[in-house]
Amino acid sequence: VEGERQDSIVLCAHLCHPAMVNDDLTGVVVGVDAMRHLLAGPRPRHTVRFLIVPETIGSVAYLSRFPERIRQMRGGLFLEMLGRDTPHALQLSMSGDTPMDDACIAALHARDAAAWTAPFRSLAGNDERQFNAPGVRVPMLSLTRQLSPGHPDFPYREYHSSADTPDQVPPGSLEHSRDVVLAMLEAVDRAVTPALRYPGEVCCSRYGLFISPQDDAEGHRALFDAMFLMDGSRTIERIAQLCRTSPDAVRRIVGRLYRAGLLCDAVPFDEAGRS
């Protein structure tokens, strides 16, 4: 799906396990339907590519054949095991703190309150390994509905067996996962890294922005905590996480600062993400 920019987000699913539905026909179905919705909707900011490959070797071959595309990749999302009614599990990228991670985490929790996250290579591993590997270093996360590693049926009871059949997929699970994927892609398109225009601490009273700690101690701390993180290196989602508040609360602060002329034009995610 061609975006406004050539900077791209990569969706990936594998299709190599014979006669198995959850692993990973469900990832293929969710990816295809997400792409259908993108094609039918407004043009996205980032170009989105969907790869359907045989596990591991398919991603290795793709990255080897198209090395020039790697630098354009701002992030990725591997899709698998989405045909269950358990909460979504988001395995983070290798570093876990990229703009791609921030946007996906925020969108995930907004769409699935019971969802959980896990560090890189702590869940069932797939093609996200190849994109995070040395010499590539594209922050690809993975979205699944697998059980936690300590569960006796990890990653799910029918894994790698002939019992992995269509009747195991609950109605609505794939549509829900598709909506989560679309929300993540939208969050990536919206992600910015705010930066204050001037060095030093802002004199908020000069611009009518000051919040008295005597009147509103929590609001005062939230304002200054957020401003001290606005140096162009963190997304709104990361600032919200560090300040233990919501992204919408930080967006309101960003809006007030921007209208007062105190912020540089917001740095897009795909520029902030460059090394």
Side-chain angles (χ1 to χ4, degrees):
V1 179
E2 288 291 336
E4 296 173 1
R5 307 172 65 99
Q6 287 302 305
D7 296 287
S8 64
I9 303 299
V10 179
L11 302 180
C12 183
H14 65 63
L15 190 60
C16 56
H17 291 41
M20 294 184 190
V21 174
N22 203 34
D23 183 17
D24 181 31
L25 187 58
T26 59
V28 174
V29 169
V30 168
V32 167
D33 209 36
M35 295 296 278
R36 274 202 198 107
H37 277 69
L38 291 174
L39 286 168
R43 189 179 188 185
R45 188 168 188 276
H46 294 86
T47 293
V48 182
R49 288 190 171 92
F50 180 35
L51 308 181
I52 304 173
V53 293
E55 187 175 0
T56 303
I57 195 170
S59 293
V60 170
Y62 181 84
L63 292 167
S64 175
R65 185 174 181 182
F66 300 106
E68 72 282 358
R69 292 184 183 174
I70 294 174
R71 180 162 173 75
Q72 296 176 336
M73 297 177 186
R74 304 274 63 84
L77 187 64
F78 181 79
L79 307 173
E80 187 188 29
M81 304 182 198
L82 296 170
R84 290 294 181 270
D85 56 5
T86 52
H88 288 91
L90 183 67
Q91 183 175 240
L92 305 182
S93 71
M94 189 187 75
S95 66
D97 61 356
T98 70
M100 182 74 188
D101 291 270
D102 295 345
C104 288
I105 291 170
L108 175 70
H109 291 312
R111 289 284 180 165
D112 184 350
W116 52 286
T117 62
F120 182 63
R121 295 196 66 215
S122 64
L123 300 181
N126 290 285
D127 293 74
E128 74 280 349
R129 303 190 326 272
Q130 314 313 320
F131 285 82
N132 283 280
V136 184
R137 294 294 194 240
V138 173
M140 179 173 280
L141 296 76
S142 70
L143 182 69
T144 65
R145 290 179 182 265
Q146 60 187 282
L147 300 169
S148 63
H151 195 284
D153 290 332
F154 171 80
Y156 62 97
R157 186 172 181 82
E158 300 81 15
Y159 182 64
H160 281 188
S161 78
S162 59
D164 191 350
T165 56
D167 59 349
Q168 299 291 331
V169 180
S173 63
L174 300 184
E175 290 87 348
H176 184 197
S177 294
R178 175 207 61 207
D179 292 343
V180 169
V181 171
L182 291 172
M184 288 179 172
L185 295 173
E186 181 181 1
V188 169
D189 271 0
R190 293 176 58 199
V192 294
T193 57
L196 290 169
R197 185 179 295 276
Y198 307 107
E201 186 174 84
V202 174
C203 180
C204 290
S205 58
R206 179 179 178 182
Y207 301 93
L209 300 174
F210 185 71
I211 299 174
S212 169
Q214 287 75 31
D215 297 336
D216 184 357
E218 185 176 345
H220 174 87
R221 173 163 289 279
L223 172 62
F224 281 88
D225 282 354
M227 283 197 304
F228 267 84
L229 295 170
M230 294 180 188
D231 58 6
S233 67
R234 301 173 183 87
T235 62
I236 286 175
E237 289 78 13
R238 174 64 57 176
I239 292 171
Q241 182 181 1
L242 293 172
C243 293
R244 298 182 180 180
T245 188
S246 70
D248 284 342
V250 176
R251 286 192 188 96
R252 287 193 290 271
I253 294 173
V254 166
R256 295 178 67 196
L257 292 169
Y258 190 80
R259 288 190 292 275
L262 295 170
L263 283 182
C264 302
D265 288 340
V267 180
F269 157 84
D270 44 32
E271 293 294 334
R274 294 184 191 276
S275 58

